[in-house]
Structure formats: structure tokens, C-alpha cells
């Protein structure tokens, strides 16, 4: 099989994460070949391929053209990283459209950053900023070897080693990691961790090291399950239940969280059912 | 007749970079470097909560998020008046050091080495190393099947190590290819070491305004040290030796001096050795006009005051011209006359400065490195340091850090139980300025934050590649990469391998959004590949 990687409006983090896979990736390439990949080899013209890992969203006319070209020449496309899946941080940085003068040679900026599947049908989604190496590799392997990847509905909390302390929280802070916290749940300590509503599979690497979950893997399946759910509403409910505080009071405190709840998914705040069906999970 | 060669985009770097060079009589006579790093990150940060800065700026670049996160933390520490506890300082040093090693190994083996080695030599391999046998069988099979993607497009050049009639022998090429595979695993170890304190990599979480989030324990410090000891051995025995081997290939002797950027070097310094950050393992300093034996040592504040950014040839409005980053502006103006890059042109006292490993090592003047450049005959007039010394400086840094990190781990172990966080980091002043200046693998990185009304009023980043790959400034001075290309030997305009070697030796890193110009030129050669 011919495997390729491409980067649209991306920072290179997903490629770096893929590179950390190391030997299993090399072993996969023993029987398969790289057809193009600007980061690993010198061929970067789009060529017919069986699987393409695409990172980054679509920000300008050129990236749109590359994405469509990939769609035309490839059998299966995997959207890697929150930028490709949801729009990611560049999606949060949308600027008013800028007119490009004719003759400057610059590709026109699109009105806003669009996720990958607005231009090409996507076979699998691997959200995360960046996704853990094992998940990218699992997605690639499942397509190359033709099996359905293992997935289950989990949240970051289900992987987290911290203990929930039921009881009211005295003071909320927006700080991402206030030094002393022992082994208790960061929410119980008053830190606004998005673990309860964020898709798991990352082994809770951030809260396990004492920093809040910023929600980089996007909403969990439970949040995506119906229009009645949202990351915000579910957070309010969860915190209200564990802290035994009235929901309207929690809702007021949590309003500050809206500023970064959709940092990675702002381009796509409405639920997207198809992502639910096709995401690779831990 | 002079001929313009355009390499667009240059591969095996991070992001989109276009290089145009004008070649006359087998040498480059002029050069333009056009970069695009426009994703509007600085603009996105305006009016946001100051604590968002560190999470967002890490996403500027997926290869060196750690340095951005660290610089951002230092900027916020500065703005909030944090006094960093010793343990936090050490953990930041350890993680930054591990990141240096992984980045340098990645750059040499996975990005740059293919410019010097012919991997096809492996097809005739006769030894017993398992990865090489796998590769050999793969190459042979692909050749037998006439695979369309097998023969990787690359510039023809008579001086790849291991090619028929080239320098070195096929065995040496095989050895270097096997190190390419080993380097993947070694890099992974450095990444693992980082995650011990920072949870994951890239886009880690463990450093926050005020300190770090993971307490040192016997188990995590020991796990870190074990990985470092393994790395130290490999860096000394393999990486450093490979660099010495390549630097001594007779065909490459010209590359020792070719690619000199003009003799101005700048290092912000990194790895604080005391709480105040006065004493650093990689010192702060600068070199002007190629006077490498006379390093100037102004303080960081003084350096920061002298920085201005010119936008004469960049796609930004004239209001952004000549500002210090503390007051800097980022307002795009596409279609601007004379502009050819999205990078601004930072200058120190009006001078373009090269930043990165070579700048740091020349400023540091560590005896081991200086004796190497002396041995290579580089300490005689004219004092020029080109393509290979940049690779050597990078490898020497890895050697220095691999030796130093276990010592710092011991120091951290001795301080188990101490503070990792200063509570002042959780208080946001109404109005404050902060700057975080730190040297990352690619060079001097500065973040400037202006907090107004408890939110971000202005956030400016001046990144290493902006220094190195900058376009011409208001006075018409070329950026360091542009200067380094002038005079470079290009015997065959269809295969400008030396141009690619020279640009890659800077380890440019350009996260990308919008593409760059295509000048309407007669005799333009477009290289879509390589």
C-alpha cells in the first residue's frame, strides 16, 4: 500500500507525534511505501495513494486545492489532529477576510478556516492537539491492515488517576496548574479542568501531571450524543453534582470557562454526528 | 547570463519556505528568502486571558512547542513578579535540555543527513545489522518491482557519501543510514524523558506561570536520569563522531566556510544556574562584524531595548515599521509593494543577527568547541563559519547538555520536597509588561506580553527563524540566510544542492498558512520538489 502524509494549515506537531511512534512505524513501512510526505522524504507532489494522513485545516485557496487533489487521488483519508477535525487553534484565530490584490501571487484567504471534511470525505478522525502517537498509528494501521479499530466511549476522567473529593469548592481559579494539589481531582481543588466532557484516549496525560485538561481532543461521545448536551452544560451538571452546589451558581462560575472551552473546536461548535462514528479512541 | 533559481517549497524543514537565488558564473550573487508564518496567533491572543498565552503559543510550532511554552511562562513570571523556586528552575532546565537533544538529533539525522549521504548504498549491504538488512531487502524489492516512488527525487550531485565515485565508501553510508534508524529511537527516549515531568510532548502542559506542575520524586528523577545516561552514551559515541566524519570529508572542505551569514551572532542564553537567572549555562552575548574572539556581554534588558522589527519588505502595514517588540504591532497588508515575506525583519541596533547553535557556541567559547574549529582551520583570517560548523555546533551542544543533565537531575533529587510553584503566579496585575527571552534549539526566542485590565493588551513573539530567515530591512540589509547564500558555489543550476544544504543548516522552522510570491521572471526555474 502507498501511505502518504500531508500538512495543510498545520504546525508540524502531528508529524512530530507520528515520528515518536518509532520502530513500529518503520516496521509498517517494510511492507508499505511512502508515496509523498514533505516532512520525511523529498517528494511532496500529490500522487495516487491508498491512505493519506492529513494534518491541519483549510485556510486558503491553495490548501483547498491540495485537499481536493488529495481527495481525487487517494482511496482513504485520515484527518489527524484537532485542526483537521475541528479547526483547532488557527480556527479560533479567524480574522476578517483580507482582499488579496491580483498579481501579488498569494493564494486568497478563505473567509474562515474550515475543517478537512468540508472538502474531502474522511475515513477516520483522530482528534487531539496533537493526538498521542499510538492513536495516529492505530488509525493508520487499521486502515492499512483492513480491520476496524478498537474504540470505546470514554472521557479524560476515566483515564485519570486523581481522586474526586465530594464537597463544595471554596474558590475557583482559572490558573492551569496551581502548584500544590496532591492526588486529588483538580476540579475538587478549584481548577477548571475539562476532563469530564473531553474525549479520552490520551491517558489523561495533562491532569495526571497536575495541569488542567484544556479539551484538545474535543467533546466526548456523550456530549456529541444529542443537541441537549454541550461541553458547557455538561460541565455545569457534573460540577453541580460532585460539589453539591446549586447549578445556577455553578453556571455563573463556569461562565469564565467559555473562553477556552472551545479553544480547539471553535470552528465547529455544533455537534457533528459523523465524527462520533469514525473516531479512533484509546 | 544570471539565472534565477526558485526552490519552492524547500522540503525536510517545518513549514513552507521559498528560496530564490540568482546564480552567475557558478556562484550565487543574490538571494531572497520568503517565509510565511501567518496564522494570526499574536492577533488571536489579544483580549484573551493572560494564562491562555502559554497554551496557545505552544501551538505556534509543533516541533518546538516546549521552547514557546517556556518563553511564555518566563514572560508571565516577569509580568507577575514571580520568584521561581529552585526545583521549578531545575525542572525547566532539564526539560529544555532534553528538548535540545531531541531537536538536534532530529535535525541532523532526519532532516539534514540526506543532503550528504546516498541511502541507496544500502542496496549492496553485506553485513548483519537487522534494520539494514530489512532496508536492503526493501530497496531491492522495490527496484525489482520498478516502484514509481522508489527513486526519491533529489538533486544530482557528485559528492554524496557512498554513491559510486563519491567520497567515503558504501560501508560508511550504510553505517550512517543505520544511525538514521537508531536516531528515531534515541529521539523517542528524549521525548519520553520530557513526558516524565510534562505529561506529553509535543504541546506539553507542565510549565505554568509561577513554576511547574510536577513535584520531583525519587522515581521520576531516577527515570529521567536513566534515559539521559543512555542518551549521553549515544550522543558521544555516534552523533558527535558522525559529525566529525562528515566535517572531514575532503569534498566538503569548501562547506566549512561557504555559507557564512555575515559575522553577527546573538544569543539570549539559556539554562539559569541561579534563582535570579544572572548566571547561565549557555551565556547571553553577541558578536559583531565577525569579531569572534571578542564576545560582548550586555545584559538581556539592554539587548531587548535594541531590538527593532522592520517591515519594509514584509506584508504588514507601514505602522508596524521599526517598532520594539514591547510596543510591536502585527497588522497584515497583503499586496504591499516590495514585500515578499510574512516574516518581519528583526534587527539588533540595525544589524541582522544570526541566532542558533553556532551563535551560542561562539558566544560561549567553550574550549572543546573552539579547539575543534581551530583544528578545522577556521580560526585564521577570514573568520568565516559556514554550513558544517553549524551542524558541528549543534552536535557539540548535544554533547554538553547530555553531560550536564544528569548533574542537574542529582541537584533536583537533593531538593525533593521543596516548592515547585510561587503563588504569585496566580495573581494577575491590572497592568504590567513582561518579557521572556530564552534560547531554544533553533536560537533566540523572545515573547513580550503587555497585560492591560487583567487581559492581554498585546502579545508579540520574535522567533529564531524570524531572525535567520528574515527578508531585507528598511536599509536594504539582507537577512542572515540571504547573506549566507551569496557567494555559495552552485556549479550546476539544475541541481542547487548547496543552496538546500545551506538553508537547512539553519534548521529553519516555519509554521505556515499562506503561500508566497511567484515572481514573473524570465529564466525562472521552478522546483516544486525538494
Amino acid at each position: 500500500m502507498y501511505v502518504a502524509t500531508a500538512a495543510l494549515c498545520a504546525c508540524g506537531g502531528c508529524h512530530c507525534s507520528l515520528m515518536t511512534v518509532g520502530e513500529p512505524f518503520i516496521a509498517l513501512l517494510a511492507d508499505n511505501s511512502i508515496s509523498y510526505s514533505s516532512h520525511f522524504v523529498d517528494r511532496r507532489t500529490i500522487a495516487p495513494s491508498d491512505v493519506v494522513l492529513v494534518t491541519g485545516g483549510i485556510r486558503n485557496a491553495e490548501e483547498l486545492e491540495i485537499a481536493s487533489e488529495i481527495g481525487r487521488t487517494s482511496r482513504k483519508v485520515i484527518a489527524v489532529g484537532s485542526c483537521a477535525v475541528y479547526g483547532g487553534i488557527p480556527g479560533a484565530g479567524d480574522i476578517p477576510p483580507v482582499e488579496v490584490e491580483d498579481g501579488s501571487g498569494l493564494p486568497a484567504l478563505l473567509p474562515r478556516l474550515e475543517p478537512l471534511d468540508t472538502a474531502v470525505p474522511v475515513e477516520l478522525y483522530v482528534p487531539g492537539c496533537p493526538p498521542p502517537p499510538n492513536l495516529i498509528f492505530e488509525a493508520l494501521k487499521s486502515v492499512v491492515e483492513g480491520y476496524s479499530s478498537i474504540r470505546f466511549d470514554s472521557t479524560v476522567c476515566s483515564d485519570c488517576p486523581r481522586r474526586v473529593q465530594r464537597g463544595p469548592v471554596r474558590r475557583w481559579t482559572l490558573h492551569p496548574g496551581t502548584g500544590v494539589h496532591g492526588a486529588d481531582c483538580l476540579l475538587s481543588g478549584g481548577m477548571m479542568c475539562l476532563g469530564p466532557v473531553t474525549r479520552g484516549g490520551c491517558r489523561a496525560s495533562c491532569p495526571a501531571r497536575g495541569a488542567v485538561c484544556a479539551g484538545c481532543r474535543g467533546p466526548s461521545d456523550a456530549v456529541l450524543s444529542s443537541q441537549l448536551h454541550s461541553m458547557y452544560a455538561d460541565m455545569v451538571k457534573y460540577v453541580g453534582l460532585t460539589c453539591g452546589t446549586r447549578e445556577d451558581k455553578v453556571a455563573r462560575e463556569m461562565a469564565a470557562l467559555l473562553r477556552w472551552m472551545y479553544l480547539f473546536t471553535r470552528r465547529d461548535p455544533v455537534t457533528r454526528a459523523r465524527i462520533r462514528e469514525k473516531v479512533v479512541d484509546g | 547570463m544570471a539565472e534565477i533559481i526558485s526552490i519552492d517549497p524547500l522540503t525536510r524543514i517545518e513549514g513552507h519556505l521559498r528560496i530564490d537565488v540568482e546564480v552567475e558564473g557558478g556562484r550565487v550573487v543574490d538571494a531572497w528568502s520568503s517565509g510565511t508564518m501567518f496564522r494570526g496567533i499574536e492577533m488571536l491572543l489579544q483580549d484573551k486571558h493572560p494564562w491562555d498565552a502559554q497554551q496557545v503559543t505552544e501551538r505556534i510550532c509543533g516541533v518546538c512547542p516546549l521552547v514557546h511554552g517556556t518563553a511564555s511562562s518566563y514572560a508571565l513570571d516577569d509580568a507577575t513578579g514571580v520568584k521561581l523556586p529552585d526545583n521549578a528552575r531545575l525542572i525547566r532546565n532539564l526539560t529544555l535540555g532534553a528538548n535540545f537533544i531531541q531537536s538536534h538529533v532530529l535535525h541532523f539525522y532526519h532532516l539534514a543527513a540526506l543532503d550528504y549521504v546516498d541511502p541507496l548504498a544500502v542496496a549492496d549491504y553485506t553485513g548483519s545489522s537487522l534494520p539494514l538488512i530489512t532496508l536492503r531487502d526493501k530497496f531491492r524489492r522495490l527496484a525489482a518491482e520498478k516502484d514509481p516512488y522508489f527513486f526519491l527525487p533529489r538533486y544530482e550531485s557528485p559528492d554524496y557519501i557512498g554513491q559510486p565515485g563519491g567520497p567515503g565508501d558504501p560501508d560508511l553510508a550504510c553505517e550512517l543510514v543505520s544511525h538514521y534508524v537508531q536516531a528515531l529511537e534515541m529521539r523517542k527516549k528524549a521525548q519520553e524523558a520530557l513526558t516524565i515531568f510534562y505529561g506529553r510532548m509535543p504541546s506539553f502542559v507542565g510549565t505554568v506561570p509561577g513554576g511547574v506542575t510536577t513535584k520531583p520524586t525519587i522515581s521520576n528523577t531516577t527515570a529521567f536520569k536513566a534515559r539521559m545516561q543512555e542518551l549521553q552514551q549515544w550522543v558521544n559515541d555516534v552523533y558527535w563522531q558522525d559529525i566529525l566524519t562528515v566535517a572531514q570529508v575532503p569534498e566538503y572542505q569548501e562547506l566549512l566556510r561557504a555559507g557564512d551569514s555575515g559575522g553577527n551572532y546573538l544569543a539570549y542564553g539559556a539554562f539559569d544556574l541561579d534563582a535570579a537567572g544572572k548566571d547561565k549555562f549557555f551565556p547571553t552575548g553577541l558578536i559583531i562584524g565577525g569579531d569572534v574572539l571578542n564576545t560582548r556581554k550586555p545584559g538581556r534588558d539592554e539587548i531587548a531595548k535594541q531590538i527593532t522589527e522592520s517591515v519594509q519588505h514584509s506584508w504588514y502595514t507601514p505602522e508596524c515599521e521599526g517598532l520594539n517588540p514591547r510596543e510591536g504591532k502585527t497588522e497584515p497588508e497583503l499586496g504591499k509593494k516590495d514585500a515578499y515575506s510574512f516574516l518581519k525583519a528583526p534587527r539588533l541596533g540595525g544589524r541582522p543577527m544570526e541566532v542558533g547553535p553556532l551563535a551560542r557556541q561562539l558566544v560561549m567559547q567553550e574550549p572543546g568547541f573552539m579547539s575543534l574549529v581551530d583544528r578545522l582551520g577556521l580560526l585564521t583570517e577570514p573568520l568565516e563559519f559556514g554550513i558544517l560548523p553549524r551542524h558541528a555546533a549543534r552536535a557539540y551542544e548535544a554533547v554538553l547538555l547530555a553531560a550536564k543533565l544528569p548533574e542537574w537531575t542529582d541537584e533536583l533529587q537533593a531538593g525533593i520536597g521543596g516548592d515547585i510553584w510561587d503563588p504569585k503566579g496566580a495573581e494577575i496585575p491590572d497592568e504590567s509588561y513582561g518579557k521572556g527571552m530564552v534560547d531554544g534549539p533553533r536560537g533566540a526566542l523572545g515573547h513580550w506580553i503587555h497585560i492591560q485590565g487583567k487581559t492581554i493588551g498585546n502579545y508579540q513573539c520574535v522567533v529564531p527563524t524570524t531572525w535567520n530567515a528574515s527578508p531585507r530591512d528598511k536599509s536594504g540589509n539582507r537577512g542572515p540566510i540571504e547573506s549566507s547564500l551569496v557567494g555559495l558555489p552552485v556549479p550546476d543550476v539544475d541541481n542547487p544542492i548547496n543552496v538546500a544544504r545551506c538553508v537547512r543548516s539553519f534548521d529553519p522552522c516555519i509554521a505556515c498558512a499562506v503561500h508566497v510570491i511567484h515572481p514573473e521572471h524570465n529564466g525562472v526555474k521552478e522546483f516544486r520538489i525538494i
Side-chain angles (χ1 to χ4, degrees), chain A residues 45-281:
Chain A
T45 37
I46 311 295
S49 309
D50 295 293
V51 196
V52 188
L53 298 167
V54 183
T55 70
I58 299 167
R59 191 72 190 81
N60 65 26
E62 188 187 36
E63 283 151 7
L64 183 60
E65 201 184 306
I66 296 174
S68 319
E69 181 76 17
I70 290 172
R72 274 197 298 279
T73 54
S74 321
R75 288 180 48 218
K76 284 174 178 172
V77 172
I78 302 177
V80 178
S82 289
C83 296
V85 177
Y86 295 110
I89 282 191
D94 275 353
I95 48 167
V98 185
E99 290 296 324
V100 180
E101 271 180 39
D102 277 340
S104 69
L106 281 170
L109 287 177
L110 302 180
R112 47 178 247 179
L113 186 136
E114 298 288 355
L116 182 66
D117 62 5
T118 55
V120 236
V122 169
E123 177 75 16
L124 275 177
Y125 296 88
V126 193
C129 190
N134 61 318
L135 290 189
I136 307 181
F137 186 64
E138 173 69 18
L140 177 63
K141 200 160 159 247
S142 72
V143 174
V144 167
E145 296 183 359
Y147 63 87
S148 345
S149 56
I150 308 162
R151 69 181 302 277
F152 55 90
D153 177 17
S154 66
T155 62
V156 172
C157 287
S158 60
D159 294 336
C160 184
R162 296 184 171 275
R163 282 192 307 268
V164 176
Q165 299 295 328
R166 285 179 195 279
V169 172
R170 252 176 280 135
R171 184 168 167 260
W172 288 98
T173 169
L174 290 167
H175 196 275
T178 38
V180 193
H181 36 67
D184 291 346
C185 171
L186 298 178
L187 276 165
S188 316
M191 289 157 69
M192 294 197 175
C193 176
L194 292 182
V197 292
T198 302
R199 182 176 295 285
C202 54
R203 298 178 193 166
S205 50
C206 308
R209 295 296 189 286
V212 293
C213 170
C216 80
R217 277 185 43 83
S220 68
D221 274 5
V223 174
L224 290 177
S225 64
S226 97
Q227 262 79 342
L228 295 174
H229 292 269
S230 76
M231 282 175 99
Y232 177 66
D234 285 23
M235 267 306 277
V236 170
K237 194 155 220 146
Y238 177 86
V239 172
L241 282 173
T242 43
C243 301
T245 318
R246 283 207 341 264
E247 272 187 28
D248 57 337
K249 202 175 158 222
V250 179
R252 267 203 308 281
E253 290 279 0
M254 287 277 148
L257 258 186
L258 286 167
R259 87 197 152 89
W260 85 340
M261 190 165 273
Y262 299 107
L263 191 59
F264 297 89
T265 52
R266 179 158 312 180
R267 231 4 340 140
D268 203 33
V270 185
T271 56
R272 304 171 74 191
R274 58 189 185 279
I275 287 180
R276 245 185 97 204
E277 303 304 321
K278 289 182 168 181
V279 71
V280 175
D281 223 322

Side-chain angles (χ1 to χ4, degrees), chain A residues 2 7-17 19-24 26 28-45 47-49 59-60 62-63 66 83 89-90 92-96 98-101 103-109 128-133 162 171 173-182 202 205-212 214 216 259-260 263-264 266, chain B residues 9-16 36 38-41 43-44 48-49 51-52 54-56 58-63 102 106 110-111 114-115 134 138 141-142 147-155 180-181 184-185 187-188 191 195-206 208-210 212-215 315 332-336 342 419-421 425-426 504 510-518 528-530:
Chain A
Y2 289 110
L8 303 176
C9 182
C11 71
C14 298
H15 275 89
C16 234
S17 189
M19 221 164 179
T20 310
V21 171
E23 269 173 13
I26 299 278
L28 184 88
L29 290 180
D31 298 322
N32 304 282
S33 297
I34 294 185
S35 45
Y36 58 91
S37 165
S38 60
H39 287 68
F40 302 140
V41 295
D42 280 333
R43 185 188 288 277
R44 76 184 300 170
T45 37
S49 309
R59 191 72 190 81
N60 65 26
E62 188 187 36
E63 283 151 7
I66 296 174
C83 296
I89 282 191
D94 275 353
I95 48 167
V98 185
E99 290 296 324
V100 180
E101 271 180 39
S104 69
L106 281 170
L109 287 177
C129 190
R162 296 184 171 275
R171 184 168 167 260
T173 169
L174 290 167
H175 196 275
T178 38
V180 193
H181 36 67
C202 54
S205 50
C206 308
R209 295 296 189 286
V212 293
C216 80
R259 87 197 152 89
W260 85 340
L263 191 59
F264 297 89
R266 179 158 312 180
Chain B
L10 189 80
T11 49
R12 282 188 276 120
I13 63 165
E14 201 270 295
H16 287 200
T36 64
F38 187 78
R39 283 178 303 154
I41 298 250
M43 289 144 72
L44 145 71
K48 294 280 166 18
H49 196 282
W51 288 328
D52 289 356
Q54 179 234 355
Q55 281 282 336
V56 172
E58 274 176 35
R59 269 76 182 190
I60 286 176
C61 171
V63 184
Q102 73 90 5
L106 171 90
H110 305 129
L111 303 181
L114 289 174
D115 289 344
T134 317
K138 165 110 185 151
R141 199 168 61 240
L142 291 177
D147 186 278
Y149 305 127
F150 169 47
F151 293 102
L152 300 172
R154 53 189 285 160
Y155 294 133
Y180 179 105
V181 180
L184 276 176
E185 281 303 301
R187 203 190 136 258
K188 193 171 160 186
Q191 295 271 47
T195 63
I196 290 170
F197 292 115
Y198 280 180
R200 63 188 189 143
M201 180 70 196
S203 299
F204 68 98
V205 286
V208 290
V212 295
T213 61
T214 307
K215 287 180 176 167
W315 284 301
E333 182 190 338
L334 302 182
K336 184 176 162 185
F342 264 117
D419 280 345
I420 53 169
W421 192 65
R504 280 197 195 107
I510 296 154
C512 51
V514 187
H515 223 299
V516 283
I517 53 162
H518 291 263
R528 288 300 302 179
I529 305 160
I530 294 190

